Amino acid sequence: MNDSFSIVGKKVFRQDAYAKVTGQAKFADDINFPGQLFAVMVRIASAHAKIKSIDYSEVINDSRLIKIIDHSNIPGNKLVGPIRNDQPIFCFDKVVTPGDVICMLIGENVDDLNKLKRKVKIDFEELPVLNDPLKSLEENSPLIHPEFENNLIIHYPLRKGNIEKGFADSDYIIEQTYRTAFVEHAYIEPEAVIAIPQETPNSVKIVGSIQNPFTCRKVVASVLNYPLANVRVIQAELGGSFGGKDDTMNILSARAAIGAMITGRPVKIKYTREESILESYKRHPYILNYKVGAKADGKITAMKIDIIADGGAYSSMSPFVTWRSVVQATGPYEIENVQTDVRAVYTNNPYTGAMRGFGSPQPIFAVESIMDELAIKLNITPDEIRRRNCFTSGSFTASGQKLEKHDVNLIKVLDTAVQKSGFKEKWIKYHSLQEFKSLEHKNLSFNDADSLILKEQDYLNNQNYLRKGIGLAVSYRGCSLGAEGIDAAAAYLSLQNDGSLFLLCGLSENGQGLRTTLSIVAAEVLGLTLDKIIYLDQDTSLIPDSGPTVASRATLMGGGAVKNAAVEIRNRLEKLLVDEWNLAGDAVFTFANDKVKYFGGGAKEISFNELCALAYKKGISLSAMGWYKGPDVHWNEETGQGSAYFTYVYGCQVAEVTLNMATGEVFIDNLIAVHNPGRVINLLGAEGQVYGGVTQGAGYALWEEINSEKGFIKELNFDQYLIPTAKDVGKIKPYFIEGRDIYGPWGAKSLGEPTLELTAAAIANAVRNAAGKRFFNLPLNLEEIFLGKKLKAESLNRGSA
Amino acid sequence: MIPELEIIKPFSLEEAVDFLNDHPAEARIIAGGTDIIPGLMQGSKRFTGIKYLVDLQQIDELKEIIADSENITIGALLTFSQMINNDSLKNNFPLLVKSASTVGSVQIRNRATVAGNFINNAPCADSVPPLLVYNAKIKLLGVNGNYEMPLSDFLIKPYFTRLKTGEIVTQIILPKPKKEFIGDFYKLGRRRGVAISRITLAALIQIEDNKLGEIRLASGAVSPIGMRFFDLEQKYSGSVISDKLLKNISSDLGKEILKVTGLRWSSEYKVPVTQQAMYLLLERICSAHKQVK
């Protein structure tokens, strides 16, 4: 930690904390407008069907209905999507998953509308349903979107070196297949948005729980066929997003906007939890085949990776999500010969898109599991196999990128985690125990219930039913968007003539603490105390398009923009003081605690508010727009080679678990998380990211799973979809190893996603250590551990989960 | 969505019974509301046609705890949180208090009542197996006055009891077990907090020297409703304690449960784990008994 900072790196309370914990913060559904109407969605119970006709005759004259809106009311694009325009705002020819919406009813009362929606008669013809992504590319598979020639959304190949030679040179080869589940973001606030017609003709204002206001504006403008400037998107306080309030919210905003423009009144859409889980996208389930060849000394010679990602019904972010997978699939290991193929495919399952981690938790689970298997095969400890292969400064990644211009401090991160946890000794101790076999004894035939009755020798006793295990995982992560897209952000700072400041950035506060982080950056440069800073609401009409708030890029890019703006203002103020105090042009000032000091010949001092008043009087501009653009990166789509991201971060987590062999329960006793975020701006915020990310990662490891039964979701609320509670995860201990970086504010890079992406892998390795056997399919729930498979209820009805 | 309802707040039991009898089809009692409110939200068939919710919170006698030498009698409105914080219940009925502490979350325990737990009679009602092994009786009030019934007779099948229209459960009578009884409660959920139980077990055993005296065993969640295993109890009462015996009891419990439930999708997991959990529970009880001696 650099002591020369006055506020950067300290523990700072969130500026919005008080309003949020006292219930004063206004979330989208807390906001209402005079004359406001509501809209409810109409769906059919089918995962794949041709719409034959829609009959509104039973509702059209009902006094409780103000307007029916369907695809025929859309003036602009009827289909939207980040890359491929394949998702309808309202379905018109087919439905391809049960979350699909055919039309919406607008009226004054939601309860009335919910009664009316059952009277919309939709005649449809069922089509064959495709649920297995492994069958998506088969010749006779049903086509989800017949406008494309097959169900392939994207295929990313990556070729490096000579894979055959790599395997031929190896002494050991391991090949394994891993699977991960659909998971739900589980943001605590369900979707809500209001569209308000504006006085200027053909213009609309949107207020909602929107993660990416600029993306939302683009979608709404394209659907309404309006210029971008005619659509103003304002973000309400966001009750969690985790990547989840992007596509879904853009589409909901477009629906509300159509409704508002047609009725001339504000239209609100708010989802119940059930609707939220039904319609919103999930994290991609992956099927990952990994083949690894290594020399006897542990050096990996070749890695061949084949991944199928279930994109579900729409392409959404699949091309970006799977691109991150192809870049990072080998893990942070320098491997000469790599062949990776990642394919995303359509099915009739819920569609999948962005979620914290974004294509990294799945391959990390697979590669970190197989690294442990390799270590066990070579009779070395898991930390050692990683030390022998992991990136160091100047290493080349799978895509042939040389790691430079930042601290490649993975070994330091790993060593810190190993030392803090006592990993090596514990791992050896627990590993010496016998493979835990009793769980596999039943291969049940349901005609033979007697086989469920335990024999005397089957019983575990109170002395032997619990076991301990320890596991680690490492990861590296490309910061920000990389070769996915344009990477730049804006911030606007406006000092007032009394020394107070307002600040606005083109990136959003999504609950991650961005307002506080960016305020700290401005406060550090200008020497302000934080109570002088007011952070404005995100508003697309007040600040330039800065891209989406995703990819753990807000501190790096937004912080860079704020710093640039603050430095520009500070330079003007310094120049003013040089003139006022008759100093040399290169005079050095300190800005701290609302004071500006000069220590050269004859110390001088001025309070910050006096300085601002002076500048104002002299006609010097006290505001500035900061812009921050990442360096160029490039990617070759055919070979998967290129400088994917301009900088990277590194992490290592160590999980200790207790495995209950009598029940299959896994309890996380403690978890040590060591991360290199570049530079910590707010220590309290950084620790919060670790606690949240690890807990979410633990959910991914042990509980969370959306089951798509022929496309239908069973887990539509939190009675069935289980996220961890505070009681379910033991102590989490964060450590930060700072690195030197030339990008971002004082080298601050990324932390949000890195904290989550490797947790499940660390837990799975700890379970492996305890059980003496590998579990290949997330989540490692009771049945997965106890029976080595998942058990599913036959009915979609609610019951004991 | 919750339909429009009228909330009736009677000040006496008589008033409540009268109202319930005047509106037999349309009135339903609400105590903590932790089952009925989510049920209404979900549009559950069990709660359709309700126009009045009769809120008993004004009736103080339903919140009393009365102890005498034989019994502790608790009012039907006692919440799980109140139960957890009552020393006399903690000392005399530790299994019940342990089960209460595993119900839902703090917020749910602050609202939910023990009587509501068994009147709703969900398979997973956490407090039912302990109430059954303590031989709990309940007191009911109807138009014809008060009467008592063992809880095990009151519970019929999932979500059904012998509660008649217009009746109120007013009290739960818990006979204090004799000193030599020792027992434990076990709950398995998918997680540790806010967990719906997948398996609950309660065992209360009289141990004399190295022999089992009276045995009382009950399960929940793994059986269609919370239930006792009277045949099993009788079969093993008087047996000499051995490791093999405890395993036999557990395996027999597995058989009994299979008899009741038949094979269900979850049997492959639940049946072996129930036996294993019962064995661990019995082993712990017996070794705790040795330590006490």
Side-chain angles (χ1 to χ4, degrees):
Chain A
M1 209 76 42
N2 189 332
D3 289 333
S4 69
F5 288 115
S6 58
I7 176 163
V8 165
K10 308 268 189 314
K11 288 194 174 194
V12 176
F13 280 114
R14 294 255 306 246
Q15 289 166 311
D16 48 2
Y18 185 80
K20 283 179 176 168
V21 299
T22 55
Q24 293 173 53
K26 295 275 184 244
F27 294 86
D29 193 28
D30 297 325
I31 299 165
N32 295 294
F33 290 85
Q36 172 181 294
L37 301 171
F38 293 91
V40 304
M41 306 301 135
V42 179
R43 302 184 177 87
I44 57 172
S46 175
H48 198 187
K50 186 167 177 261
I51 301 167
K52 292 170 78 177
S53 66
I54 307 171
D55 176 5
Y56 297 124
S57 60
E58 282 188 46
V59 292
I60 198 83
N61 293 320
D62 196 294
S63 61
R64 294 168 291 182
L65 179 79
I66 288 181
K67 186 77 196 167
I68 300 170
I69 306 278
D70 63 18
H71 71 94
S72 65
N73 300 100
I74 299 175
N77 286 348
K78 291 177 191 240
L79 292 162
V80 297
I83 313 227
R84 267 188 184 181
N85 289 340
D86 60 3
Q87 186 166 12
I89 300 294
F90 295 107
C91 294
F92 45 90
D93 53 349
K94 294 215 303 179
V95 304
V96 293
T97 197
D100 279 347
V101 170
I102 293 172
C103 60
M104 69 180 186
L105 307 185
I106 297 178
E108 307 227 348
N109 183 296
V110 172
D111 292 347
D112 288 342
L113 294 171
N114 279 324
K115 283 176 201 146
L116 284 180
K117 74 179 184 185
R118 287 176 221 133
K119 297 185 180 175
V120 176
K121 298 283 177 256
I122 298 159
D123 188 21
F124 60 95
E125 180 190 322
E126 293 280 5
L127 297 170
V129 173
L130 171 66
N131 294 116
D132 182 355
L134 292 177
K135 292 190 176 139
S136 286
L137 299 177
E138 285 176 3
E139 196 105 335
N140 54 356
S141 186
L143 275 185
I144 309 301
H145 296 282
E147 64 269 35
F148 303 111
E149 74 184 83
N150 58 31
N151 289 324
L152 183 70
I153 297 171
I154 193 100
H155 170 210
Y156 289 114
L158 181 150
R159 302 287 181 267
K160 180 190 181 193
N162 180 335
I163 193 78
E164 283 79 23
K165 185 177 175 299
F167 283 118
D169 288 348
S170 67
D171 298 318
Y172 296 95
I173 293 177
I174 301 182
E175 184 172 359
Q176 289 172 334
T177 300
Y178 291 84
R179 282 167 189 265
T180 67
F182 282 100
V183 303
E184 158 68 26
H185 305 78
Y187 27 79
I188 204 69
E189 175 209 25
E191 294 78 358
V193 63
I194 315 132
I196 309 102
Q198 299 298 284
E199 285 162 19
T200 314
N202 294 331
S203 66
V204 66
K205 184 165 88 175
I206 309 277
V207 181
S209 53
I210 295 160
Q211 178 184 329
N212 299 316
F214 290 101
T215 322
C216 179
R217 182 180 68 159
K218 193 171 88 182
V219 170
V220 172
S222 85
V223 170
L224 291 177
N225 205 15
Y226 286 178
L228 289 174
N230 291 32
V231 179
R232 180 175 190 178
V233 180
I234 298 169
Q235 189 196 31
E237 288 288 352
L238 203 71
S241 180
F242 312 109
K245 284 174 178 163
D246 192 14
D247 308 38
T248 312
M249 281 314 304
N250 307 337
I251 289 169
L252 283 191
S253 300
R255 289 181 192 150
I258 300 164
M261 296 319 291
I262 286 180
T263 60
R265 289 167 68 176
V267 171
K268 180 185 267 191
I269 299 173
K270 57 173 184 173
Y271 272 3
T272 60
R273 178 63 60 186
E274 284 78 3
E275 265 185 307
S276 168
I277 295 185
L278 174 65
E279 189 177 330
S280 70
Y281 51 93
K282 312 289 174 246
R283 189 192 294 289
H284 292 71
Y286 276 27
I287 299 152
L288 313 104
N289 185 265
Y290 271 69
K291 184 177 171 186
V292 183
K295 302 291 275 183
D297 65 359
K299 184 68 198 156
I300 297 168
T301 55
M303 195 179 278
K304 185 171 179 297
I305 303 165
D306 212 323
I307 293 173
I308 294 283
D310 187 348
Y314 299 109
S315 59
S316 178
M317 286 284 174
S318 285
F320 290 146
V321 169
T322 51
W323 181 71
R324 188 175 280 276
S325 305
V326 79
V327 175
Q328 296 176 181
T330 56
Y333 307 113
E334 189 160 29
I335 305 167
E336 224 166 283
N337 308 293
V338 181
Q339 176 178 327
T340 305
D341 289 279
V342 183
R343 289 176 178 83
V345 296
Y346 287 124
T347 62
N348 293 115
N349 291 325
Y351 77 113
T352 49
M355 181 172 178
R356 191 178 188 180
F358 203 80
S360 71
Q362 303 96 329
I364 291 172
F365 166 59
V367 74
E368 287 303 279
S369 295
I370 212 162
M371 286 302 283
D372 265 31
E373 293 306 310
L374 193 58
I376 291 162
K377 194 157 199 169
L378 298 173
N379 204 21
I380 56 177
T381 55
D383 55 321
E384 194 49 40
I385 189 87
R386 287 170 174 82
R387 235 172 252 117
R388 290 180 195 179
N389 288 287
C390 76
F391 290 151
T392 57
S393 188
S395 289
F396 284 89
T397 67
S399 72
Q401 180 177 8
K402 188 179 181 186
L403 295 173
E404 56 187 355
K405 294 180 187 161
H406 69 280
D407 258 356
V408 187
N409 54 8
L410 179 57
I411 287 188
K412 191 173 169 194
V413 166
L414 170 69
D415 286 346
T416 305
V418 166
Q419 180 229 324
K420 297 282 182 195
S421 60
F423 176 81
K424 211 171 182 125
E425 301 70 30
K426 285 179 184 166
W427 189 88
I428 290 167
K429 184 177 148 200
Y430 302 145
H431 184 66
S432 64
L433 294 168
Q434 278 208 324
E435 179 178 335
F436 169 45
K437 284 207 179 85
S438 64
L439 310 186
E440 284 185 306
H441 63 217
K442 299 276 181 281
N443 200 357
L444 235 209
S445 136
F446 266 50
N447 304 321
D448 180 20
D450 286 351
S451 66
L452 293 175
I453 303 305
L454 300 186
K455 314 269 183 309
E456 219 183 308
Q457 66 273 14
D458 295 333
Y459 281 97
L460 297 162
N461 64 39
N462 278 295
Q463 278 68 54
N464 68 12
Y465 79 106
L466 295 177
R467 272 200 192 169
K468 296 276 182 196
I470 191 165
L472 69 73
V474 296
S475 75
Y476 82 122
R477 184 178 187 88
C479 301
S480 200
L481 301 172
E484 266 181 53
I486 308 109
D487 210 352
Y492 178 63
L493 266 61
S494 180
L495 261 179
Q496 307 306 299
N497 55 16
D498 64 351
S500 61
L501 173 85
F502 61 76
L503 157 57
L504 180 60
C505 174
L507 296 168
S508 318
E509 172 65 69
N510 292 334
Q512 79 279 47
L514 186 70
R515 291 184 187 121
T516 309
T517 300
L518 296 187
S519 296
I520 289 171
V521 172
E524 184 69 43
V525 174
L526 295 172
L528 280 171
T529 50
L530 283 171
D531 58 340
K532 298 282 196 309
I533 301 178
I534 292 294
Y535 196 103
L536 299 182
D537 292 339
Q538 168 71 308
D539 183 331
T540 55
S541 293
L542 297 182
I543 187 86
D545 186 344
S546 302
T549 304
V550 297
S552 304
R553 70 189 280 263
T555 302
L556 168 61
M557 303 302 297
V562 170
K563 188 166 175 242
N564 284 348
V567 166
E568 192 179 326
I569 295 174
R570 176 167 162 160
N571 287 343
R572 290 181 208 146
L573 294 172
E574 289 191 0
K575 186 168 178 300
L576 171 67
L577 287 179
V578 165
D579 292 344
E580 282 294 309
W581 291 343
N582 290 317
L583 304 173
D586 59 352
V588 177
F589 300 90
T590 61
F591 284 59
N593 300 317
D594 295 325
K595 286 189 186 69
V596 180
K597 292 178 183 171
Y598 168 73
F599 292 106
K604 285 184 184 297
E605 180 180 321
I606 185 169
S607 73
F608 196 73
N609 59 345
E610 282 173 303
L611 176 58
C612 291
L614 181 66
Y616 182 75
K617 231 184 282 176
K618 299 266 174 185
I620 291 167
S621 164
L622 285 170
S623 64
M625 184 71 76
W627 189 251
Y628 189 83
K629 185 181 172 304
D632 290 335
V633 285
H634 66 90
W635 186 257
N636 179 323
E637 295 267 337
E638 277 73 48
T639 59
Q641 296 292 293
S643 57
Y645 297 94
F646 61 81
T647 190
Y648 292 84
V649 292
Y650 304 91
C652 177
Q653 294 186 352
V654 179
E656 283 189 68
V657 302
T658 299
L659 172 67
N660 183 333
M661 297 186 291
T663 61
E665 284 167 285
V666 174
F667 186 74
I668 302 153
D669 298 318
N670 64 71
L671 192 141
I672 284 173
V674 184
H675 290 278
N676 159 32
R679 164 91 54 207
V680 173
I681 302 292
N682 180 4
L683 184 55
L684 205 58
E687 288 176 347
Q689 285 291 340
V690 174
Y691 299 136
V694 166
T695 305
Q696 210 167 17
Y700 190 50
L702 299 181
W703 295 280
E704 296 185 37
E705 182 177 24
I706 290 282
N707 281 298
S708 171
E709 288 294 320
K710 300 192 173 71
F712 288 87
I713 294 173
K714 179 178 166 62
E715 299 82 0
L716 288 175
N717 208 329
F718 294 129
D719 55 337
Q720 305 285 316
Y721 188 78
L722 302 179
I723 58 174
T725 70
K727 277 184 151 180
D728 293 299
V729 182
K731 197 173 172 56
I732 300 166
K733 182 73 191 139
Y735 294 94
F736 300 108
I737 307 284
E738 295 194 321
R740 292 178 310 276
D741 213 283
I742 56 175
Y743 304 115
W746 303 286
K749 298 189 280 188
S750 303
L751 185 62
E753 291 168 284
T755 60
L756 174 146
E757 62 184 4
L758 70 174
T759 307
I763 292 168
N765 281 338
V767 172
R768 166 71 172 91
N769 186 227
K773 62 179 268 194
R774 173 64 61 186
F775 296 92
F776 295 92
N777 306 308
L778 292 183
L780 307 185
N781 64 15
L782 301 176
E783 292 88 354
E784 180 66 28
I785 302 274
F786 192 80
L787 302 169
K789 64 179 183 185
K790 302 281 191 291
L791 279 187
K792 304 246 157 68
E794 289 129 11
S795 139
L796 284 170
N797 291 337
R798 280 180 169 170
S800 125
Chain B
M1 89 194 102
I2 296 189
E4 229 164 87
L5 293 162
E6 214 171 304
I7 309 287
I8 308 298
K9 298 190 133 210
F11 284 89
S12 71
L13 280 169
E14 293 67 33
E15 208 184 309
V17 169
D18 286 348
F19 189 88
L20 288 168
N21 281 288
D22 289 347
H23 305 85
E26 297 168 333
R28 193 74 67 90
I29 295 167
I30 181 166
T34 56
D35 288 309
I36 202 164
I37 299 295
L40 289 168
M41 284 288 284
Q42 289 175 24
S44 159
K45 288 194 185 104
R46 297 166 51 213
F47 303 111
T48 47
I50 299 176
K51 288 195 176 152
Y52 306 100
L53 285 179
V54 181
D55 179 3
L56 304 177
Q57 294 296 337
Q58 314 288 321
I59 306 171
D60 287 341
E61 57 182 296
L62 294 178
K63 298 176 182 173
E64 285 172 356
I65 301 176
I66 305 156
D68 60 34
S69 57
E70 297 283 307
N71 303 310
I72 295 182
T73 302
I74 58 180
L77 279 185
L78 201 76
T79 65
F80 288 115
S81 291
Q82 287 164 337
M83 187 178 266
I84 294 163
N85 293 318
N86 184 284
D87 287 336
S88 153
L89 287 173
K90 252 188 264 181
N91 294 333
N92 290 287
F93 304 99
L95 281 62
L96 180 59
V97 172
K98 188 173 177 182
S99 76
S101 70
T102 70
V103 172
S105 60
V106 174
Q107 294 90 332
I108 290 169
R109 293 194 289 271
N110 284 344
R111 293 284 321 168
T113 64
V114 63
N117 206 206
F118 64 73
I119 291 169
N120 186 56
N121 202 21
C124 56
D126 289 322
S127 66
V128 169
L131 287 169
L132 291 175
V133 298
Y134 286 125
N135 289 334
K137 288 179 285 185
I138 57 170
K139 204 166 170 184
L140 298 110
L141 175 67
V143 271
N144 302 321
N146 282 306
Y147 65 103
E148 286 177 15
M149 185 190 286
L151 178 63
S152 56
D153 289 350
F154 181 71
L155 307 174
I156 304 174
K157 61 177 184 175
Y159 306 105
F160 285 91
T161 67
R162 291 194 198 284
L163 187 73
K164 293 192 207 97
T165 307
E167 282 185 346
I168 297 174
V169 173
T170 56
Q171 284 176 321
I172 302 146
I173 303 159
L174 296 165
K176 290 183 191 166
K178 293 198 185 100
K179 280 274 174 282
E180 21 350 316
F181 274 96
I182 178 164
D184 206 350
F185 169 79
Y186 173 79
K187 167 170 169 170
L188 174 73
R190 285 201 179 271
R191 60 183 177 198
R192 293 193 173 186
V194 206
I196 300 171
S197 51
R198 285 180 63 69
I199 297 172
T200 50
L201 294 170
L204 194 64
I205 304 171
Q206 203 177 20
I207 302 181
E208 289 156 346
D209 300 324
N210 61 341
K211 269 183 165 173
L212 297 176
E214 192 183 334
I215 314 168
R216 300 179 195 165
L217 304 174
S219 73
V222 71
S223 38
I225 55 170
M227 61 180 284
R228 283 278 292 271
F229 295 88
F230 295 110
D231 290 350
L232 202 64
E233 295 172 5
Q234 281 215 311
K235 177 178 169 186
Y236 287 100
S237 169
S239 307
V240 176
I241 297 172
S242 70
D243 189 56
K244 192 178 158 119
L245 179 85
L246 303 184
K247 288 174 176 167
N248 286 344
I249 296 174
S250 307
S251 294
D252 277 3
L253 176 78
K255 288 177 197 161
E256 291 282 325
I257 284 169
L258 269 175
K259 239 190 267 172
V260 184
T261 62
L263 271 175
R264 306 187 67 230
W265 69 271
S266 56
S267 301
E268 190 176 354
Y269 174 81
K270 279 186 171 181
V271 173
V273 173
T274 303
Q275 298 165 65
Q276 182 64 69
M278 180 52 98
Y279 168 68
L280 292 172
L281 193 69
L282 293 173
E283 200 195 21
R284 271 200 294 275
I285 293 170
C286 291
S287 73
H289 172 72
K290 269 183 220 155
Q291 278 168 12
V292 172
K293 295 198 84 180

